[in-house]
Structure formats: structure tokens, C-alpha cells
Amino acid sequence: MAFSMALATGLFFVSLVAAQSNTPFCDSASGICFQGYTDPELDITIGLVLPDPPTDEFIVQMVAPATYGYTGLSVGGTMADSLLFTLWPNGDDIVLGTRWTSGYVLPEVYTGPQITLLPGSGVNSTYIQATFRCQNCTTWTDGSLGSGDQGGFQLIAYVAQTTTPPDDPADVGSTIIEHNDFDFFGMNLTQAQSTQYSSYVAGGSASTTSAPTTTSLPSSTPAPPSSTSSASGATQTEWGQCGGQGWTGPTTCAAGLTCVGVSPPYYSQCQA
Ligand SMILES: *[C@@H]1O[C@H](CO)[C@@H](O)[C@H](O)[C@H]1NC(C)=O
Ligand SMILES: *[C@@H]1O[C@H](CO)[C@@H](O)[C@H](O)[C@H]1NC(C)=O
Ligand SMILES: *[C@@H]1O[C@H](CO)[C@@H](O)[C@H](O)[C@H]1NC(C)=O
């Protein structure tokens, strides 16, 4: 089965939503303040926080509509050679897995990362939410967070299969069909570092990717970060999109910035 981020629908999305980058938000269920992004169309929120100074771990929050078949996350920005996370509901349980693939094929379960679910993880009538600590997660086969610089830049990609659930939702390694939507945002990893990190991980309950846990969700809503957009004809600001298939916005970067193909041929971005 072929998996690809080169779907026409996905490219359309990338061209519509320009210059997405991280903004801060705090989650009252876990007390954790993240850097991340809420996609207004897909209704997906992704948050990330790193220790300061960085180690081999981070905390992730993924929130998506409970009706989605699955939601995926790449902390390497691409599908191939990245640490991937898959999230879907199994009744009232969440099923969270780590996967990896070297190409655009069905990613397989990837062992090594140690997952600990944190407060606020679960499924309610509208959303599925996973807040989790991921240890041994900053390097993986053929890649690493920030390409080895955890104070640098990382493109974060998220995907959704909005209609079709996994073949066996009870199995974290279930066959899943290709996602039907995806998008990206840019993360300044320096801004994601937090001196509060050790207090954030103090309250976690141990879990594994193969043993989903049941938790009830609080009725708190993460404050949606705002996104910025750019108009055609202007020069693009730092981290803004400046190229890629289907891109109709600015292709010139502001003074001092260079247009870099961060996920060629789909996405190029202005970087210093
Ligand atoms: C860390 O993860 C890698 C895979 O990325 C794995 O090979 C290694 O055994 C893991 N180390 C520990 C201590 O779990
Ligand atoms: C990332 O954020 C830090 C802290 O806000 C800032 O000093 C740095 O310039 C940013 N990096 C880039 C490349 O924008
Ligand atoms: C369901 O969970 C989401 C995410 O935590 C939250 O924003 C929402 O308010 C919750 N809805 C209900 C009905 O509890």
C-alpha cells in the first residue's frame, strides 16, 4: 500500500495556510505550557515542550476530533526516516503508538521510545487527546530532533485519516489506510525548552504504547494559538513558507533570509 504526503488535497492545504509557526498555550488538565499550533480546518492541536537544557526526551500533546480514524504526527517533519506517532480511539480508550518507515509505505511499529501518558489523556464525546512524555525520543533511525540541534528549527508534520478507522483499533500495530489530509508548522525548538519540565513529568502515570489506558477528559479547552498568513507579492518573514508544489504566496524572503527546501518538493521556508 502506497502512502504519500503528495496528495492533491494536502498540497492544496499547504498552499492555503501559510507561515504557520509555533505559539505558546497552556493546558489546564496537565498544567503544562506548550509551544504548538492549532490547525483551524483540521481541528488538530499539536504541542511540544523540551527540557531546558535538552536531554533525550520531550512532552507532546495531540488533540483531534474523536471521529477521526486516526491522527498522526511526525517530529522529523517528513513521513520517511522520522519518529512518527499514531493516535486513535478504541471505545473510550486511546491507542497511542510509535512508528517509523524509510519510505512512503505503511509505517511499522517502532520500538525504543518510552511513552508515559500524562493527565488529561483520553477520549470524550468530541475529542481524543494524548499528553505524553517520550523518553529516548530525540534520535531515531536515520534522524533526530532539530537535525541534532535541539535549539534549532524543526518542521512538525501532522496527518489525519478523517473517516476510516484502523482495521483493528484495539491493536497499536494495526494496519491503517493512508491519511487523507496533512499539514505542517515550524517549531523554534529554543522556544519549546522549559525550565518547568521536571515538574511537568512528576505527575505522570506509567503506560506503554501497546497497553492503552482509559482516562476521562476534563472539560478544559486549550487556548488556540493564532496563525499568521502572508499575502502574495510581499516578501516572506522568517519561518514563513516561500515555495513548494502548489504554493502561490511569496517566494522571496525578507532581507537576510534564505528560502530553504525543508520538505522538498512540497515545502520551502525562509530561514536565517
Ligand atoms: C532507544 O531507542 C532506540 C531506537 O531509536 C533503540 O534502539 C534503543 O534500544 C533505545 N534505548 C533504550 C535504552 O531503550
Ligand atoms: C528562536 O527563539 C529564540 C528565543 O525566543 C530566539 O532568540 C531565536 O532568535 C529564535 N530562533 C530563530 C532562528 O528565530
Ligand atoms: C473534550 O476534550 C477536549 C480536549 O481536552 C476539551 O477541549 C473539551 O472541552 C472536552 N469536551 C467535553 C464535553 O468534556
Side-chain angles (χ1 to χ4, degrees):
M1 179 183 306
F3 267 64
S4 171
M5 285 191 172
L7 293 176
T9 52
L11 291 170
F12 185 56
F13 245 95
V14 168
S15 69
L16 279 180
V17 186
Q20 303 165 161
S21 59
N22 59 285
T23 52
F25 68 95
C26 297
D27 167 44
S28 60
S30 60
I32 298 174
C33 292
F34 294 94
Q35 288 286 339
Y37 179 70
T38 295
D39 184 312
E41 279 86 13
L42 279 174
D43 200 13
I44 288 174
T45 294
I46 303 294
L48 185 73
V49 58
L50 274 55
D52 180 11
T55 61
D56 73 341
E57 65 173 272
F58 47 75
I59 299 170
V60 171
Q61 182 167 70
M62 299 172 68
V63 186
T67 52
Y68 284 3
Y70 70 85
T71 305
L73 173 68
S74 167
V75 291
T78 57
M79 183 167 162
D81 298 333
S82 288
L83 176 58
L84 309 174
F85 299 92
T86 53
L87 176 67
W88 60 74
N90 180 36
D92 290 337
D93 293 343
I94 71 169
V95 178
L96 174 66
T98 48
R99 296 199 183 204
W100 186 90
T101 174
S102 63
Y104 292 90
V105 295
L106 178 65
E108 293 181 353
V109 168
Y110 184 67
T111 56
Q114 301 296 309
I115 303 289
T116 306
L117 287 177
L118 297 173
S121 300
V123 187
N124 67 19
S125 56
T126 45
Y127 287 99
I128 179 167
Q129 173 168 315
T131 307
F132 58 96
R133 178 186 191 182
C134 193
Q135 294 167 276
N136 188 26
C137 291
T138 55
T139 63
W140 53 82
T141 305
D142 295 335
S144 58
L145 190 68
S147 300
D149 177 7
Q150 292 190 53
F153 170 79
Q154 180 62 64
L155 190 71
I156 305 287
Y158 48 92
V159 305
Q161 169 43 255
T162 57
T163 55
T164 308
D167 287 1
D168 179 6
D171 175 12
V172 73
S174 174
T175 296
I176 52 178
I177 69 161
E178 183 176 356
H179 51 83
N180 57 5
D181 224 324
F182 77 96
D183 216 327
F184 308 90
F185 68 95
M187 176 74 85
N188 177 331
L189 293 172
T190 296
Q191 293 173 354
Q193 294 174 16
S194 172
T195 54
Q196 304 300 304
Y197 191 91
S198 56
S199 68
Y200 292 161
V201 296
S205 57
S207 178
T208 70
T209 54
S210 56
T213 60
T214 309
T215 49
S216 58
L217 275 179
S219 53
S220 65
T221 309
S226 60
S227 63
T228 55
S229 61
S230 60
S232 187
T235 56
Q236 187 53 281
T237 53
E238 190 167 19
W239 309 126
Q241 187 173 359
C242 53
Q245 281 180 16
W247 175 243
T248 56
T251 54
T252 306
C253 296
L257 304 177
T258 307
C259 190
V260 177
V262 290
S263 190
Y266 312 118
Y267 195 92
S268 299
Q269 184 176 53
C270 294
Q271 294 184 15

